[in-house]
Amino acid sequence: MTHTETSVKMVLDRWYASIKSCDNIISNLSDELMQKEIAPGKNRGAYLLGHLIAVHDDMLVLLDMGEKLYPELSEPFIKSPDKAASHIPSVSELRGFWANQNEVMKQKNDQLSTEEWFEKHTAVSAEDFANEPHRNKLNIIITRTSHLQYHTGQLVLLK
Amino acid sequence: MTHTETSVKMVLDRWYASIKSCDNIISNLSDELMQKEIAPGKNRGAYLLGHLIAVHDDMLVLLDMGEKLYPELSEPFIKSPDKAASHIPSVSELRGFWANQNEVMKQKNDQLSTEEWFEKHTAVSAEDFANEPHRNKLNIIITRTSHLQYHTGQLVLLK
């Protein structure tokens, strides 16, 4: 295994371990608990779950893997703060989106070669990428793993 | 820049950005706020800061970079839950440890070559490492970045 292959493995392993850790926490929280705030006056669990799905949906676009699965989640869960949107999906619906999205992303990730992970993501121009080769697809996984862990540390407070 | 060099850069950049993000949050919280629980019945800010310093101190050992700077923090901040230890350092002392540790780690990280980041860390045997080359020093940075982000998502709740 080359160092480059090892790097891709380490980054993807960390992503999947983070998804699993978040999934374990969510799976052990009732729909009722997911409707509670993680701390007084802060975001509700359901909002954080919707937010994670919406952000991961953006990853599909950044990784040039096709269209978002749930484009309707961007408005209530990224552009709006919690409790601002007039209607959001039920916790049960969000759980279904989350599970399906994780499967779809796994399938798409599996299709990329080591070399392709080092290609530019869709939000950087070819000119900028020439000077900044770290703005690649693998870096999208690295930064979103951080984001996922940040919110997992909040969701766990509902236990 | 080779893909391997780019990988090391991406991982270290994410680590330092995570340290900075956590540092910004802590710097904007008074000592009094740091003594509060992040949510009712959960860990206090000061405990989380001590916990991060103790875990990062372990990294120095895992990365074969020498001795721990603050070995006395392992007992109250890793082996014990919050409020169990009879004496813990003041928030002001912890802030000093945190700042110094970040400087020391930066200096030591800067001394490692790309190749050295792919050498085994100290908690894996040479035999196991031969079959599991991902158990290297760079992976210590990857996993501890996740850990840092997890607790940063909790510290931010004190704002």
Short mmCIF file of all heavy atoms in Angstrom, two decimals, chain A residues 74-97:
data_model
loop_
_atom_site.label_atom_id
_atom_site.label_comp_id
_atom_site.label_asym_id
_atom_site.label_seq_id
_atom_site.Cartn_x
_atom_site.Cartn_y
_atom_site.Cartn_z
N SER A 74 -32.17 22.38 2.64
CA SER A 74 -31.21 23.48 2.72
C SER A 74 -31.82 24.72 3.39
O SER A 74 -31.19 25.35 4.26
CB SER A 74 -30.72 23.82 1.31
OG SER A 74 -29.81 24.86 1.36
N GLU A 75 -33.03 25.07 2.99
CA GLU A 75 -33.69 26.26 3.53
C GLU A 75 -33.93 26.15 5.05
O GLU A 75 -33.47 27.01 5.81
CB GLU A 75 -35.02 26.50 2.79
CG GLU A 75 -35.77 27.75 3.20
CD GLU A 75 -35.02 29.03 2.89
OE1 GLU A 75 -34.40 29.11 1.81
OE2 GLU A 75 -35.02 29.94 3.75
N PRO A 76 -34.59 25.10 5.52
CA PRO A 76 -34.88 25.04 6.98
C PRO A 76 -33.68 24.70 7.86
O PRO A 76 -33.65 25.07 9.04
CB PRO A 76 -35.95 23.96 7.10
CG PRO A 76 -35.76 23.09 5.90
CD PRO A 76 -35.29 24.01 4.80
N PHE A 77 -32.67 24.01 7.29
CA PHE A 77 -31.59 23.50 8.16
C PHE A 77 -30.21 24.11 7.93
O PHE A 77 -29.27 23.82 8.67
CB PHE A 77 -31.49 21.97 8.03
CG PHE A 77 -32.70 21.23 8.55
CD1 PHE A 77 -33.53 20.53 7.68
CD2 PHE A 77 -33.01 21.25 9.90
CE1 PHE A 77 -34.65 19.85 8.17
CE2 PHE A 77 -34.12 20.58 10.39
CZ PHE A 77 -34.94 19.87 9.52
N ILE A 78 -30.07 24.92 6.86
CA ILE A 78 -28.78 25.61 6.69
C ILE A 78 -29.01 27.13 6.69
O ILE A 78 -28.38 27.86 7.43
CB ILE A 78 -28.07 25.17 5.39
CG1 ILE A 78 -27.65 23.69 5.49
CG2 ILE A 78 -26.82 26.03 5.14
CD1 ILE A 78 -26.86 23.17 4.31
N LYS A 79 -29.99 27.54 5.85
CA LYS A 79 -30.23 28.99 5.75
C LYS A 79 -30.99 29.55 6.95
O LYS A 79 -30.91 30.74 7.24
CB LYS A 79 -30.98 29.28 4.45
CG LYS A 79 -30.13 28.99 3.21
CD LYS A 79 -30.88 29.28 1.93
CE LYS A 79 -30.11 28.76 0.72
NZ LYS A 79 -30.99 28.56 -0.45
N SER A 80 -31.75 28.70 7.63
CA SER A 80 -32.54 29.17 8.78
C SER A 80 -32.01 28.57 10.08
O SER A 80 -31.57 27.43 10.10
CB SER A 80 -34.00 28.75 8.63
OG SER A 80 -34.49 29.06 7.34
N PRO A 81 -32.11 29.38 11.16
CA PRO A 81 -31.77 28.80 12.47
C PRO A 81 -32.91 27.91 12.96
O PRO A 81 -33.98 27.89 12.34
CB PRO A 81 -31.63 30.04 13.36
CG PRO A 81 -32.51 31.07 12.72
CD PRO A 81 -32.47 30.79 11.25
N ASP A 82 -32.70 27.19 14.03
CA ASP A 82 -33.73 26.31 14.57
C ASP A 82 -34.95 27.14 14.97
O ASP A 82 -34.81 28.29 15.41
CB ASP A 82 -33.18 25.56 15.80
CG ASP A 82 -34.10 24.43 16.23
OD1 ASP A 82 -35.01 24.05 15.46
OD2 ASP A 82 -33.91 23.91 17.36
N LYS A 83 -36.11 26.56 14.78
CA LYS A 83 -37.42 27.14 15.17
C LYS A 83 -37.86 28.28 14.27
O LYS A 83 -38.86 28.94 14.55
CB LYS A 83 -37.41 27.62 16.64
CG LYS A 83 -37.22 26.47 17.62
CD LYS A 83 -36.56 26.94 18.91
CE LYS A 83 -35.84 25.81 19.61
NZ LYS A 83 -34.81 26.25 20.54
N ALA A 84 -37.13 28.55 13.19
CA ALA A 84 -37.51 29.64 12.28
C ALA A 84 -38.38 29.13 11.13
O ALA A 84 -39.29 29.82 10.67
CB ALA A 84 -36.27 30.32 11.72
N ALA A 85 -38.12 27.92 10.65
CA ALA A 85 -38.88 27.37 9.51
C ALA A 85 -40.30 27.00 9.96
O ALA A 85 -40.50 26.52 11.08
CB ALA A 85 -38.16 26.16 8.95
N SER A 86 -41.28 27.25 9.07
CA SER A 86 -42.69 26.98 9.42
C SER A 86 -42.96 25.48 9.43
O SER A 86 -43.79 24.99 10.19
CB SER A 86 -43.62 27.68 8.45
OG SER A 86 -43.33 27.27 7.13
N HIS A 87 -42.26 24.76 8.58
CA HIS A 87 -42.48 23.31 8.57
C HIS A 87 -41.15 22.57 8.38
O HIS A 87 -40.37 22.90 7.49
CB HIS A 87 -43.44 22.91 7.44
CG HIS A 87 -43.56 21.43 7.29
ND1 HIS A 87 -44.28 20.64 8.17
CD2 HIS A 87 -43.00 20.56 6.39
CE1 HIS A 87 -44.18 19.37 7.81
NE2 HIS A 87 -43.42 19.29 6.73
N ILE A 88 -40.90 21.60 9.22
CA ILE A 88 -39.74 20.72 9.00
C ILE A 88 -40.23 19.28 9.05
O ILE A 88 -41.27 18.99 9.64
CB ILE A 88 -38.59 20.95 10.01
CG1 ILE A 88 -39.03 20.63 11.44
CG2 ILE A 88 -38.04 22.35 9.92
CD1 ILE A 88 -37.86 20.54 12.42
N PRO A 89 -39.48 18.36 8.39
CA PRO A 89 -39.88 16.95 8.40
C PRO A 89 -39.91 16.39 9.83
O PRO A 89 -39.26 16.92 10.73
CB PRO A 89 -38.79 16.26 7.57
CG PRO A 89 -38.14 17.35 6.78
CD PRO A 89 -38.25 18.59 7.62
N SER A 90 -40.65 15.33 10.02
CA SER A 90 -40.70 14.68 11.33
C SER A 90 -39.36 14.00 11.60
O SER A 90 -38.58 13.75 10.68
CB SER A 90 -41.81 13.63 11.36
OG SER A 90 -41.47 12.57 10.48
N VAL A 91 -39.11 13.68 12.85
CA VAL A 91 -37.87 12.99 13.21
C VAL A 91 -37.80 11.65 12.49
O VAL A 91 -36.74 11.23 12.01
CB VAL A 91 -37.77 12.79 14.75
CG1 VAL A 91 -36.57 11.93 15.11
CG2 VAL A 91 -37.70 14.14 15.45
N SER A 92 -38.94 10.99 12.39
CA SER A 92 -38.98 9.70 11.71
C SER A 92 -38.57 9.83 10.24
O SER A 92 -37.81 9.01 9.72
CB SER A 92 -40.39 9.14 11.86
OG SER A 92 -40.58 8.06 10.99
N GLU A 93 -39.09 10.85 9.57
CA GLU A 93 -38.68 11.10 8.17
C GLU A 93 -37.18 11.39 8.09
O GLU A 93 -36.48 10.88 7.21
CB GLU A 93 -39.45 12.29 7.59
CG GLU A 93 -40.89 11.99 7.21
CD GLU A 93 -41.63 13.25 6.75
OE1 GLU A 93 -41.85 14.16 7.60
OE2 GLU A 93 -41.98 13.35 5.56
N LEU A 94 -36.68 12.22 9.00
CA LEU A 94 -35.25 12.57 8.98
C LEU A 94 -34.37 11.33 9.19
O LEU A 94 -33.34 11.17 8.55
CB LEU A 94 -34.93 13.62 10.06
CG LEU A 94 -35.49 15.02 9.81
CD1 LEU A 94 -35.27 15.92 11.04
CD2 LEU A 94 -34.85 15.67 8.58
N ARG A 95 -34.81 10.44 10.05
CA ARG A 95 -34.05 9.20 10.27
C ARG A 95 -33.95 8.40 8.96
O ARG A 95 -32.90 7.82 8.65
CB ARG A 95 -34.73 8.32 11.32
CG ARG A 95 -34.69 8.85 12.74
CD ARG A 95 -35.31 7.81 13.69
NE ARG A 95 -35.65 8.36 15.00
CZ ARG A 95 -34.79 8.50 16.01
NH1 ARG A 95 -33.54 8.13 15.86
NH2 ARG A 95 -35.17 9.00 17.17
N GLY A 96 -35.04 8.38 8.20
CA GLY A 96 -35.04 7.67 6.92
C GLY A 96 -34.10 8.31 5.91
O GLY A 96 -33.35 7.61 5.22
N PHE A 97 -34.13 9.64 5.85
CA PHE A 97 -33.23 10.38 4.93
C PHE A 97 -31.77 10.08 5.29
O PHE A 97 -30.92 9.84 4.43
CB PHE A 97 -33.44 11.89 5.04
CG PHE A 97 -34.81 12.38 4.63
CD1 PHE A 97 -35.22 13.69 4.95
CD2 PHE A 97 -35.71 11.57 3.94
CE1 PHE A 97 -36.47 14.16 4.58
CE2 PHE A 97 -36.98 12.04 3.57
CZ PHE A 97 -37.35 13.33 3.90
#
